[in-house]
Amino acid sequence: MPLSHSRAATYVDRLNAPGLLDQLATPYPACAPLRPPAWNVDPGRVRFEPFFRKMYGASAAEVERQLTNVDWFGQRLRVTQVNGAAQSLAAVAAELARLPQVRPFVTPSAGTFNWRTIAGTPRLSVHAYGAAIDLNVARSAYWAWGGYREGQRGIPYRNAFPLALVQVFERHGWIWGGRWYHHDTMHFEYRPELTGPAQCAAALRGQP
Ligand SMILES: [Zn+2]
């Protein structure tokens, strides 16, 4: 696929029409301490859609052919097998099972595969590819629930999710929507190009 940068001048335009290189432009702070992200810093939220469609499927039917079931604390979730995402989520579940104190955030899951766009946008959600999971909505915060507009300054950051939970996902290659200025704390998506065991080990050694 062509390696290009978006020509868009504003963040919101770039979000809607990125190039492949834009999705790697903001470093993801894997396993770092929790802090409110700066204005419009959303590492991993800019995605070049043709790249994802090519990997995971360009229609609901194409994506569904690659799905398999993952046991999520008794819930059956459909996740893509592409890139080892389903296997990775099963490993996350096994590790989280050893942290009973985080269980109220982890269950019930609000879902994985769903062929849909992101609310209020024309952009396909990573849920459409079967490579994202939403955790317990009742414990979550979402930037748009406050009635704010995309790209607006001063959106207040809220999060109740513990770092220990987030780090388990990040070690297994899942980025967290709670690291975004446009925060979505229930949301994790499989992005092993941005986070994983090597990035987390480096962060825990205090390196960038
Ligand atoms: Zn989500």
Side-chain angles (χ1 to χ4, degrees):
M1 303 198 79
L3 290 174
S4 63
H5 279 290
S6 170
R7 292 165 190 272
T10 70
Y11 173 70
V12 176
D13 289 347
R14 203 157 55 245
L15 191 62
N16 286 316
L20 185 50
L21 293 174
D22 293 298
Q23 75 184 34
L24 298 168
T26 309
Y28 183 84
C31 287
L34 299 183
R35 63 174 75 89
W39 178 56
N40 281 352
V41 173
D42 298 328
R45 186 165 174 258
V46 170
R47 308 176 195 90
F48 184 59
E49 208 168 285
F51 176 77
F52 283 83
R53 286 175 174 262
K54 202 166 183 173
M55 279 197 301
Y56 292 115
S59 66
E62 269 185 42
V63 172
E64 285 193 87
R65 278 199 285 277
Q66 309 274 9
L67 299 180
T68 189
N69 291 321
V70 172
D71 176 12
W72 190 257
F73 302 92
Q75 244 177 307
R76 203 171 63 174
L77 300 179
R78 297 206 297 162
V79 181
T80 184
Q81 300 174 76
V82 175
N83 296 331
Q87 220 178 354
S88 171
L89 190 64
V92 168
E95 213 172 302
L96 290 175
R98 299 198 291 270
L99 299 174
Q101 70 276 19
V102 307
R103 192 70 52 85
F105 296 91
V106 167
T107 58
S109 162
T112 48
F113 169 69
N114 186 356
W115 184 263
R116 65 169 173 86
T117 53
I118 298 165
T121 82
R123 308 192 304 272
L124 265 185
S125 163
V126 177
H127 290 281
Y129 310 117
I133 181 171
D134 288 336
L135 302 187
N136 186 357
V137 180
R139 299 290 183 125
S140 300
Y142 183 54
W143 68 274
W145 285 343
Y148 299 96
R149 292 186 322 278
E150 178 75 52
Q152 183 175 347
R153 286 187 188 270
I155 299 175
Y157 180 76
R158 300 194 201 292
N159 168 51
F161 279 62
L163 180 60
L165 184 172
V166 173
Q167 288 177 329
V168 170
F169 274 93
E170 289 177 338
R171 274 203 308 278
H172 287 278
W174 296 71
I175 66 166
W176 178 47
R179 301 258 190 218
W180 299 340
Y181 173 76
H182 296 88
H183 58 278
D184 181 0
T185 67
M186 76 185 86
H187 178 88
F188 290 86
E189 64 184 61
Y190 191 58
R191 300 292 297 281
E193 79 279 26
L194 296 176
T195 186
Q199 291 90 333
C200 283
L204 298 174
R205 286 196 307 269
Q207 293 164 8

